[in-house]
Amino acid sequence: MRTAASIADVKARLSEFVRRVKAGNEVVITERGVPVARLTGLEVAERRATRRDRLARSGAVKAGKGRVRRALQAPPAGEPAGVGGEVLAALLAERGEGS
C-alpha cells in the first residue's frame, strides 16, 4: 500500500510512518503536494546483516580472510600478568609518589 504524506506530517509522526514501512507499505513524501522522496523498507538480507557486515560495507573495518588461528582462540599458557597483586601494588606505589 502506498501512502503520501507531507514533510511536516512525516516530521511530526515519524514513528508511525516507520511502523507502516516495516509492515510493508511505502510512504511517498511530498513538499507542497509534489513528491520529493520515497520511504521504503529494506530487503531481508539488509535487515539481517550483522554489525560486522554493516561496518565492513561502510568501510569502518576491513574483513579478514580465512580463519582465526588456533593460537589466538585460547588464552596464552602460564599465569596471567599481575597475579598476586603486583600490578595493583605498583600502581598504588606510583600514585603515592605522584601526590
Side-chain angles (χ1 to χ4, degrees):
M1 181 177 176
R2 180 181 254 183
T3 304
S6 69
I7 292 174
D9 286 342
V10 173
K11 285 172 61 176
R13 302 180 308 171
L14 181 61
S15 296
E16 177 186 332
F17 287 108
V18 170
R19 275 192 293 279
R20 289 182 186 185
V21 168
K22 285 171 75 174
N25 298 321
E26 181 179 279
V27 177
V28 175
I29 301 171
T30 62
E31 183 177 45
R32 296 185 179 128
V34 177
V36 293
R38 179 180 301 132
L39 188 59
T40 62
L42 295 174
E43 297 294 325
V44 175
E46 290 176 305
R47 281 195 316 243
R48 292 189 178 158
T50 64
R51 181 171 190 239
R52 182 177 55 191
D53 294 338
R54 289 190 305 269
L55 290 171
R57 272 199 309 270
S58 71
V61 297
K62 183 177 178 184
K65 298 176 183 173
R67 295 183 176 187
V68 177
R69 292 182 298 189
R70 258 182 216 257
L72 297 176
Q73 293 179 353
E79 292 199 25
V83 171
E86 295 94 8
V87 173
L88 179 58
L91 177 64
L92 292 174
E94 183 178 303
R95 286 185 179 176
E97 293 174 8
S99 318

